[in-house]
Amino acid sequence: MSICVLGASGFLGQGICRELDLRGIDWAGIDRSSNDKRIHKISLDSYDDQVLEILKGFDCVINAVGSLKPRDFRVNPDAALALGMANIDVISRLVVESEVSRFVHLSSGGTVYGECKRPASESDYASPISWYGRLKWIEEMVLIDRLKTSSTLLSIARVSNPYGNEHTLSHGFVDVLVNKLKAKIPFECFFSSGAKRDFIHINDMAAQVVDLATSEYGGVFNVCSGNSTSLESLMSIVEKQFPDVIKFNEIEVSQEDIVVNDLSNSKFNSHFGKVVTVDVEQYLIEQLNAIKDKK
């Protein structure tokens, strides 16, 4: 089997490519910049015949493109939405016209379900409350619509909140926290009381995505740890070892703030067997111990 990874140099793409190497799976990537000779340096911002020809040579395509972040919608929501729609239009057209057998799209399990009163499963209604989450849901709908008459098998991986990519330390709550501590920079965080997130280590995320890509299963799958962790508990762990560098500010919940993100991994486990993932609290403790040992 051969796999092409779109966004291969990004936060998620790097982890997926490492997992493909570990499994000995033939792969190439497409991204706007990279030092890896296996990654074609091409932007996916516009339709490109060169990309189409590349995709035709692969059995499967994984879309890990993540050019937009939630903060982009806070700064300029109209521009962010327009760019996001343009990107998914280009990618969906390329996938349809390349006629690849398999397409795995990485979506956002951290936002598409909205507020979670219980562990959200794939059969639950999507109910995004932020514009970033709405775009991720729109992307899913565009792909389902564009591929409905295609022979391409579509899987949508709703990834929770990934962490642990040591090469991209400016992405996500956990990695930013660890990076600040390593650099001896004070860390100030703002979240609502009771805030919880399902965190998944980058290696576990990549393993689940590659499991999905090399399977015959289509449809939506949560890619997550299946455990929701309190942000206050993470802060408490840090405060015990670094009491002078952490500042926590409780904020009122806005219309676009998710307090609790809680996902079920029952569907994935039923298809692939029970998945054991890295515990985010244990990971954080190990990172803090390593930082203290270097002092």
Side-chain angles (χ1 to χ4, degrees):
M1 186 178 198
S2 58
I3 295 177
C4 184
V5 181
L6 307 182
S9 298
F11 181 81
L12 301 180
Q14 289 177 16
I16 292 168
C17 293
R18 285 196 299 271
E19 181 67 20
L20 292 171
D21 278 337
L22 288 173
R23 300 194 191 192
I25 295 175
D26 180 39
W27 69 271
I30 297 175
D31 211 321
R32 67 181 72 234
S33 62
S34 176
N35 293 322
D36 193 319
K37 294 181 180 179
R38 294 171 293 182
I39 299 177
H40 302 271
K41 297 180 184 178
I42 308 172
S43 171
L44 290 165
D45 290 341
S46 59
Y47 188 93
D48 192 315
D49 288 332
Q50 184 182 358
V51 174
L52 179 61
E53 292 306 311
I54 292 170
L55 297 188
K56 287 180 178 179
F58 290 88
D59 304 307
C60 173
V61 174
I62 298 175
N63 180 26
V65 173
S67 56
L68 289 168
K69 304 293 184 290
R71 63 176 175 269
D72 296 322
F73 289 84
R74 292 192 291 269
V75 174
N76 192 333
D78 290 342
L81 184 60
L83 177 58
M85 291 298 296
N87 285 347
I88 198 62
D89 176 65
V90 168
I91 290 171
S92 62
R93 287 171 55 202
L94 287 167
V95 171
V96 169
E97 293 176 25
S98 65
E99 299 181 336
V100 295
S101 300
R102 190 88 171 81
F103 182 61
V104 179
H105 173 71
L106 272 59
S107 186
S108 172
T111 61
V112 296
Y113 293 109
E115 191 66 34
C116 300
K117 295 182 179 179
R118 58 178 175 78
S121 66
E122 295 84 348
S123 60
D124 290 334
Y125 288 122
S127 187
I129 59 178
S130 68
W131 276 109
Y132 175 79
R134 290 166 186 154
L135 174 65
K136 304 310 288 185
W137 186 37
I138 290 170
E139 288 178 350
E140 295 182 12
M141 296 302 102
V142 169
L143 289 169
I144 290 171
D145 181 65
R146 295 273 173 94
L147 293 173
K148 64 186 178 184
T149 59
S150 166
S151 60
T152 299
L153 179 64
L154 170 65
S155 293
I156 295 171
R158 288 179 174 169
V159 180
S160 60
N161 297 276
Y163 70 94
N165 187 338
E166 296 179 359
H167 303 287
T168 310
L169 295 174
S170 60
H171 182 104
F173 183 87
V174 175
D175 289 339
V176 171
L177 168 59
V178 171
N179 193 36
K180 293 271 190 180
L181 294 174
K182 286 181 177 179
K184 300 179 181 179
I185 299 173
F187 180 79
E188 187 172 11
C189 54
F190 302 83
F191 52 80
S192 304
S193 177
K196 293 182 177 182
R197 299 288 183 270
D198 182 299
F199 291 103
I200 183 167
H201 192 276
I202 189 76
N203 294 343
D204 295 326
M205 178 281 303
Q208 291 186 35
V209 168
V210 175
D211 281 346
L212 194 54
T214 54
S215 76
E216 297 181 352
Y217 300 123
V220 177
F221 285 83
N222 288 339
V223 171
C224 60
S225 67
N227 298 302
S228 189
T229 302
S230 163
L231 299 188
E232 290 176 274
S233 71
L234 295 182
M235 291 299 95
S236 177
I237 291 171
V238 178
E239 285 177 324
K240 289 178 182 178
Q241 297 198 46
F242 297 90
D244 299 326
V245 298
I246 294 295
K247 184 177 180 181
F248 161 61
N249 293 287
E250 184 176 329
I251 60 171
E252 293 185 8
V253 181
S254 75
Q255 291 183 340
E256 294 195 357
D257 285 333
I258 293 175
V259 178
V260 177
N261 168 240
D262 193 3
L263 303 182
S264 168
N265 59 1
S266 295
K267 180 179 178 180
F268 194 94
N269 288 345
S270 69
H271 285 72
F272 297 95
K274 184 173 177 57
V275 175
V276 178
T277 59
V278 175
D279 179 77
V280 66
E281 292 186 346
Q282 185 59 41
Y283 171 86
L284 184 57
I285 290 170
E286 291 173 358
Q287 292 295 312
L288 297 181
N289 289 338
I291 293 171
K292 293 195 75 172
D293 289 344
K294 288 184 178 180
K295 286 188 174 182

